[in-house]
């Protein structure tokens, strides 16, 4: 017996040493990972308040008493733990516009993935700003809450070891620009529900005001992060007497072209460097509506700290109605292929133009009447929300919540109809998506969970020959693309992020009345390497009530 024990011990010792070493390496790796990826904790409370953004008192949505909401400044790969208390009289959700939510569509904050937070209740979001740098936003995804506020800036800064492709500015400002209406969000929802179109905006705000000021020292350079958080209108941004050096668009560092002004379409974000190289005085900052017969303008002030002279002169003129000017500017945006991305590798090292597409999807928007009421559709389908989030229905295998054969990958003739539409897709497919706009109105489209290469813009109908003019070398990646009237825009996207992802019109009236659907990016192999499991604190609603997480 002694002989057998000792022999067993002799055989086992090398294995014990080996596994001890492996365990030490794992523990060290976990320790390093925790050191590199810190946790940031926030508590936000959503309430109603009264403000007068356009001089008329109205109900607005506040976060921690602020309108707009708090600026959320984080660092690449930070883990965000944000406890959100809803003290409104309606269910509420925030979505994190442009945050990829890697393997984690559970935290996307839209009704297809999350139950809305009931009144007088709370939910804790847990997500990571994985491998991203840049200026983003958050806003309410429920009902017409975005029309009342609840939005704010979300800025992701580079870790020290990852240099950005420009000298660090003396400071940075987040400017949330957008059209605004004095009608209440409930009134606007009732108006849309009655079958009418959204009214023309009453004004344009910059950071929730018609007058605000941003100060800097003469001779220094500042970063301005500009995001269009409005409901419906493209805006042009400019600063009197100053040039705008474009350095980043929705997480992509750009070739640093100089512009007098920039078009920023609904849902989009850009970052520019501005050098205070003029005579010390105050200068106008301007955001004005584009492609509208009546031009609305919002202003703020750029104040030199050594200025003794108030702002003067006419407002700097913006571009005229011409769509060609805007389209030409959009084509001038280029990826900076020599820059690092959020990870220490060149962001242009992914040769997207040499990858064979596995599928082409053509999406045509329309504005049909259904049962005598105004709706909006894509490929004839006008989306309606289910009582159960699609993600929960998928996880718990609840039948009858959504349809995967209602929306087709190409447009076809026939009357429009309503459905809870989901388009199936395979994990790791490489898609070409064409947004075909046959209407006279400007469009803007957003895809959750991804960024994508915007490879082409063109007039009229897209055809396969349109690919001859694609930019397959240094097109930007971004999360929201504009589509000009009677025109098309094409994107390429790598479906490397499993989950249930919302593809929607960024023009909120259109999203609200059905111009959206969900892309189910699926892999039959169940693995945490592909997608995280359901959160323990997941809210359950609809047909998922009573299920166990």
């Amino acid at each position: 017996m002694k002989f057998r024990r000792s022999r067993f011990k002799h055989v086992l010792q090398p294995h014990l040493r080996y596994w001890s070493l492996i365990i030490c390496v794992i523990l060290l790796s976990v320790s390093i990972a925790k050191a590199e990826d810190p946790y940031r904790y926030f508590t936000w409370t959503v309430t109603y308040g009264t403000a007068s953004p356009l001089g008329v008192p109205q109900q607005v949505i506040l976060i921690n008493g602020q309108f707009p909401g708090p600026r959320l400044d984080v660092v690449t790969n930070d883990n965000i733990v944000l406890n959100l208390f809803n003290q409104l009289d309606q269910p509420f959700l925030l979505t994190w516009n442009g945050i990829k939510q890697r393997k984690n569509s559970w935290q996307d904050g839209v009704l297809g993935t999350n139950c809305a937070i009931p009144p007088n209740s709370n939910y804790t979001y847990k997500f990571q700003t994985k491998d991203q740098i840049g200026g983003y936003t958050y806003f309410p995804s429920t009902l017409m809450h975005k029309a009342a506020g609840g939005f704010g800036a979300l800025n992701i800064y580079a870790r020290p070891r990852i240099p950005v492709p420009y000298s660090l500015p003396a400071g940075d400002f987040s400017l949330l620009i957008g059209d605004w209406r004095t009608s209440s969000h409930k009134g606007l929802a009732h108006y849309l529900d009655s079958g009418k179109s959204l009214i023309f905006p009453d004004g344009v705000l910059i950071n929730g005001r018609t007058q605000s000021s941003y100060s800097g020292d003469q001779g220094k350079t500042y970063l301005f992060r500009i995001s269009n958080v409005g409901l419906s209108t493209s805006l042009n941004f400019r600063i009197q007497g100053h040039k705008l050096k474009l350095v980043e668009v929705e997480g992509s560092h750009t070739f640093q072209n100089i512009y007098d002004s920039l078009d920023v379409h609904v849902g989009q974000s850009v970052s520019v460097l501005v050098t205070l190289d003029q005579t010390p005085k105050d200068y106008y900052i301007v955001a004005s509506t584009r492609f509208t017969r009546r031009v609305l303008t919002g202003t703020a002030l750029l104040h030199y700290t050594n200025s003794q002279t108030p702002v003067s002169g006419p407002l700097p003129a913006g571009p005229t109605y011409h769509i060609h000017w805007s389209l030409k500017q959009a084509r001038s945006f280029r990826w900076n292929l020599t820059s690092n991305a959020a990870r220490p590798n060149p962001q242009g090292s992914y040769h997207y133009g040499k990858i064979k597409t596995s599928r082409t999807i053509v999406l045509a928007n329309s504005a049909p009447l259904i049962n005598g009421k105004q709706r909006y559709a894509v490929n004839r389908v006008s989306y309606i929300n289910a009582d159960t989030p699609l993600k929960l229905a998928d996880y718990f295998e609840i039948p009858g919540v959504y349809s995967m054969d209602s929306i087709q990958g190409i447009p076809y003739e026939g009357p429009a109809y309503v459905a809870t539409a989901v388009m199936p897709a395979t994990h790791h497919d490489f898609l070409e998506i064409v947004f075909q706009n046959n209407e006279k109105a400007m469009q803007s489209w957003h895809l959750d969970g991804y960024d994508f290469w915007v490879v082409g813009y063109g007039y009229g109908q897209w055809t396969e020959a349109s690919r001859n003019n694609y930019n397959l070398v240094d097109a930007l990646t971004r999360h929201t693309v504009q589509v000009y009237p009677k025109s098309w825009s094409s994107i390429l996207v790598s479906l490397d992020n499993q989950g249930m992802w919302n593809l929607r019109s960024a023009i909120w009236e259109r999203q609200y009345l059905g111009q959206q659907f969900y892309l189910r990016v699926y892999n039959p192999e169940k693995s945490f390497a592909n997608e995280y499991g359901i959160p323990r604190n997941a809210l359950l609603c609809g047909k998922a009530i009573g299920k166990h997480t």
Side-chain angles (χ1 to χ4, degrees):
M1 194 69 171
K2 283 185 180 179
F3 170 78
R4 292 168 69 184
R5 258 190 207 151
S6 122
R7 184 179 175 209
F8 183 71
K9 182 178 180 183
H10 174 75
V11 171
L12 192 59
Q13 274 181 339
H15 295 280
L16 288 172
R17 286 196 296 268
Y18 171 78
W19 284 109
S20 297
L21 177 61
I22 291 296
I23 290 169
C24 288
V25 169
I26 290 172
L27 290 174
L28 179 61
S29 298
V30 170
S31 175
I32 291 172
K34 286 185 176 179
E36 289 184 348
D37 302 336
Y39 280 75
R40 305 283 303 282
Y41 295 88
F42 303 89
T43 300
W44 286 2
T45 301
V46 182
T47 60
Y48 289 126
T50 301
S52 304
L54 291 176
V56 179
Q58 64 182 113
Q59 185 183 70
V60 296
I61 292 176
L62 309 175
I63 298 180
N64 287 359
Q66 299 179 42
F67 170 79
R71 175 171 144 173
L72 189 58
D73 287 338
V74 299
V75 175
T76 298
N77 285 8
D78 275 357
N79 291 283
I80 310 304
V81 181
L82 191 148
N83 194 3
L84 186 71
F85 287 84
N86 175 20
Q87 293 187 1
L88 306 184
D89 57 356
Q90 295 178 318
F92 183 84
L93 277 175
L94 285 179
T95 189
W96 315 96
N97 200 46
I99 304 305
K100 294 180 186 177
Q101 305 289 2
R102 297 292 302 170
K103 303 188 292 185
N104 200 20
S105 63
W106 299 106
Q107 304 294 338
D108 200 24
V110 291
L111 289 174
T113 56
N114 297 86
C115 298
I117 306 168
N120 300 312
S121 186
N122 71 297
Y123 175 72
T124 301
Y125 291 90
K126 298 177 182 178
F127 62 91
Q128 189 177 24
T129 53
K130 182 71 173 172
D131 297 333
Q132 292 186 260
I133 296 172
Y136 303 90
T137 59
Y138 61 85
F139 58 77
S141 64
T142 39
L143 301 173
M144 288 295 290
H145 290 140
K146 190 182 180 187
F151 47 74
L154 197 171
N155 299 326
I156 306 177
Y157 292 86
R159 289 177 289 178
R161 69 173 67 92
I162 304 172
V164 293
Y166 49 85
S167 299
L168 290 179
D172 65 80
F173 307 107
S174 293
L175 277 66
L176 304 174
I177 62 176
D179 54 20
W180 188 259
R181 293 158 178 81
T182 55
S183 301
S184 72
H185 69 93
K186 291 181 181 178
L188 291 174
H190 179 75
Y191 194 78
L192 292 175
D193 291 339
S194 70
K196 300 174 184 177
S197 297
L198 199 64
I199 58 175
F200 190 72
D202 297 304
V204 172
L205 302 181
I206 299 178
N207 280 351
R209 300 179 178 184
T210 54
Q211 277 292 349
S212 53
S213 181
Y214 305 89
S215 297
D217 297 331
Q218 187 179 24
K220 293 184 179 179
T221 298
Y222 295 83
L223 184 69
F224 285 74
R225 305 176 189 267
I226 306 114
S227 297
N228 187 336
V229 295
L231 295 182
S232 62
T233 314
S234 298
L235 298 174
N236 180 265
F237 178 86
R238 52 201 183 272
I239 300 178
Q240 182 184 28
H242 292 75
K243 300 292 185 181
L244 312 177
K245 179 187 285 189
L246 185 69
V247 294
E248 180 253 329
V249 172
E250 295 165 18
S252 281
H253 290 131
T254 64
F255 190 80
Q256 296 176 9
N257 290 327
I258 306 295
Y259 299 91
D260 292 321
S261 70
L262 286 168
D263 279 353
V264 187
H265 307 279
V266 180
Q268 294 185 343
S269 298
V270 300
S271 296
V272 298
L273 290 175
V274 178
T275 300
L276 275 57
D277 55 4
Q278 300 299 304
T279 302
K281 53 172 286 190
D282 292 352
Y283 295 87
Y284 284 115
I285 298 172
V286 179
S288 60
T289 59
R290 291 282 277 132
F291 319 118
T292 57
R293 292 183 180 179
R294 178 178 156 216
V295 177
L296 300 177
T297 300
T299 61
L301 294 179
L302 173 60
H303 171 74
Y304 282 45
T305 53
N306 58 343
S307 167
Q308 301 296 322
T309 307
V311 69
S312 62
L315 294 179
T320 61
Y321 181 82
H322 300 302
I323 290 171
H324 181 71
W325 183 96
S326 184
L327 188 146
K328 184 178 179 181
Q329 181 181 87
R331 286 174 174 163
S332 73
F333 293 176
R334 290 289 189 266
W335 219 13
N336 184 344
L337 300 184
T338 64
S339 169
N340 283 340
R343 294 171 297 201
N345 64 289
Q347 64 176 13
S349 63
Y350 193 6
H351 299 295
Y352 67 92
K354 296 181 180 180
I355 301 172
K356 183 179 180 181
T357 55
S358 51
R359 183 181 175 192
T360 295
I361 296 171
V362 181
L363 302 174
N365 49 270
S366 59
L369 294 178
I370 299 178
N371 297 325
K373 292 186 176 182
Q374 179 67 67
R375 296 285 300 182
Y376 296 96
V378 54
N379 286 4
R380 295 178 53 209
V381 180
S382 186
Y383 184 89
I384 52 173
N385 285 305
D387 63 350
T388 308
L390 317 184
K391 187 65 183 169
L392 290 180
D394 211 24
Y395 179 81
F396 290 118
E397 298 181 349
I398 302 172
V401 173
Y402 61 84
S403 167
M404 282 205 293
D405 56 11
S406 55
I407 187 167
Q408 305 302 310
I410 57 172
Y412 59 101
E413 297 298 322
Y417 57 94
V418 297
T420 305
V422 173
M423 184 177 291
T426 302
H427 194 207
H428 295 304
D429 270 359
F430 193 74
L431 297 187
E432 175 186 39
I433 301 178
V434 179
F435 297 98
Q436 179 66 56
N437 180 15
N438 297 323
E439 299 181 67
K440 294 181 180 179
M442 191 76 187
Q443 307 294 328
S444 187
W445 285 92
H446 171 85
L447 175 60
D448 280 350
Y450 293 93
D451 50 20
F452 46 71
W453 290 273
V454 183
V455 293
Y457 302 94
Y459 296 117
Q461 292 291 312
W462 178 88
T463 67
E464 291 187 4
S466 303
R467 295 178 181 136
N468 295 332
N469 295 316
Y470 280 4
N471 176 0
L472 298 179
V473 177
D474 59 357
L476 285 182
T477 62
R478 60 188 315 168
H479 55 68
T480 304
V481 60
Q482 73 273 22
V483 193
Y484 295 96
K486 297 290 184 177
S487 300
W488 56 265
S489 297
S490 284
I491 67 171
L492 298 177
V493 58
S494 175
L495 299 185
D496 60 355
N497 197 11
Q498 185 173 320
M500 188 77 73
W501 301 108
N502 190 221
L503 200 164
R504 63 177 175 267
S505 172
I507 297 173
W508 209 248
E509 168 191 16
R510 288 176 169 265
Q511 179 275 153
Y512 182 83
L513 291 179
Q515 205 161 86
Q516 60 171 310
F517 64 91
Y518 282 80
L519 197 65
R520 180 179 182 256
V521 181
Y522 181 69
N523 189 329
E525 180 182 341
K526 305 295 183 183
S527 169
F528 289 151
N530 295 333
E531 184 175 19
Y532 301 143
I534 187 171
R536 292 183 178 180
N537 68 328
L539 299 175
L540 301 180
C541 54
K543 296 178 181 178
I545 291 177
K547 303 290 185 180
H548 297 285
T549 59

